[in-house]
Amino acid sequence: SDKIAVVDNLLKKADKVIVGGGMAYTFMKAKGRAIGTSLLEEDKIELAKEYMEKAGDKLVLPVDNIIADKFAEDANTQVSEGDIPDGWMGLDIGPKTVELFSEAVKDAGTVVWNGPMGVFEMPNFAAGTVAVAQALADTDAVTIIGGGDSAAAVNNLGFGDKMTHISTGGGASLEFLEGKELPGVAAANDK
């Protein structure tokens, strides 16, 4: 819920808004898809529908997911391109989505990334986050990593030195992306 409000502001300003990770399942549910036991913010489904309607092709959503029968490193996994069955949960983006997201950032001028693509702390669900980090490392874009889990992911996976800026303020980054005024920035601008 702290990230979905950012989408509205970004849709007004960005050429593309890529949604992966846990937030993607709320959008998937808003499209009428079954999501099994994946993360869901039930109270944000209508908001996700609204964003999809006004976004057109600016909003890039996963086309496949790595799903698992449990939240564990020894889970049974498979790639799902459609509905996620009951008892299964989405824990990473799938290989087609990796290609889609990597292509979307390839020629970007600036990329702001906030949030991993999956449960990168478990090796069997880290491939999507690794691939997106690699795509950002390979681009000539200015790359800004928005703190929190994103900063941990790029640093822990060995991509930190390839990013232009890594924020240590995840919550502040989200507020900035949402278009809120940050007190420290406002004070600096007054000088």
Side-chain angles (χ1 to χ4, degrees):
S1 61
D2 61 340
K3 291 181 183 165
I4 200 165
V6 171
V7 174
D8 186 47
N9 192 45
L10 292 178
L11 287 173
K12 296 172 191 166
K13 298 177 181 194
D15 295 323
K16 296 281 181 196
V17 177
I18 299 171
V19 176
M23 188 183 353
Y25 303 105
T26 299
F27 282 88
M28 192 172 168
K29 185 74 170 180
K31 291 171 95 171
R33 307 294 292 276
I35 63 165
T37 57
S38 304
L39 285 177
L40 172 65
E41 293 184 275
E42 191 84 40
D43 63 328
K44 302 293 184 196
I45 291 174
E46 290 306 313
L47 192 56
K49 286 180 185 177
E50 177 187 321
Y51 293 161
M52 287 187 295
E53 279 180 30
K54 66 178 162 181
D57 65 353
K58 281 181 121 179
L59 188 62
V60 184
L61 298 168
V63 294
D64 62 348
N65 297 281
I66 304 298
I67 63 172
D69 61 350
K70 61 183 175 179
F71 188 81
E73 288 188 41
D74 65 343
N76 294 310
T77 64
Q78 62 186 6
V79 176
S80 172
E81 290 187 33
D83 291 340
I84 298 174
D86 289 343
W88 289 72
M89 64 187 76
L91 295 175
D92 197 6
I93 58 174
K96 289 182 179 178
T97 301
V98 163
E99 288 181 36
L100 179 68
F101 288 7
S102 297
E103 185 64 27
V105 301
K106 185 171 74 173
D107 297 319
T110 302
V111 178
V112 179
W113 182 16
N114 192 300
M117 297 294 113
V119 184
F120 74 94
E121 300 89 347
M122 292 185 203
N124 49 337
F125 308 117
T129 300
V130 170
V132 169
Q134 184 67 61
L136 294 184
D138 292 344
T139 185
D140 292 329
V142 171
T143 52
I144 301 165
I145 311 305
D149 288 339
S150 308
V154 297
N155 284 324
N156 293 346
L157 298 171
F159 293 98
D161 63 337
K162 295 178 176 52
M163 303 302 153
T164 308
H165 176 74
I166 300 175
S167 172
T168 57
S173 294
L174 288 172
E175 287 186 15
F176 180 73
L177 292 173
E178 195 176 338
K180 292 182 177 177
E181 183 177 75
L182 300 180
V185 173
N189 287 337
D190 286 342
K191 298 279 176 195

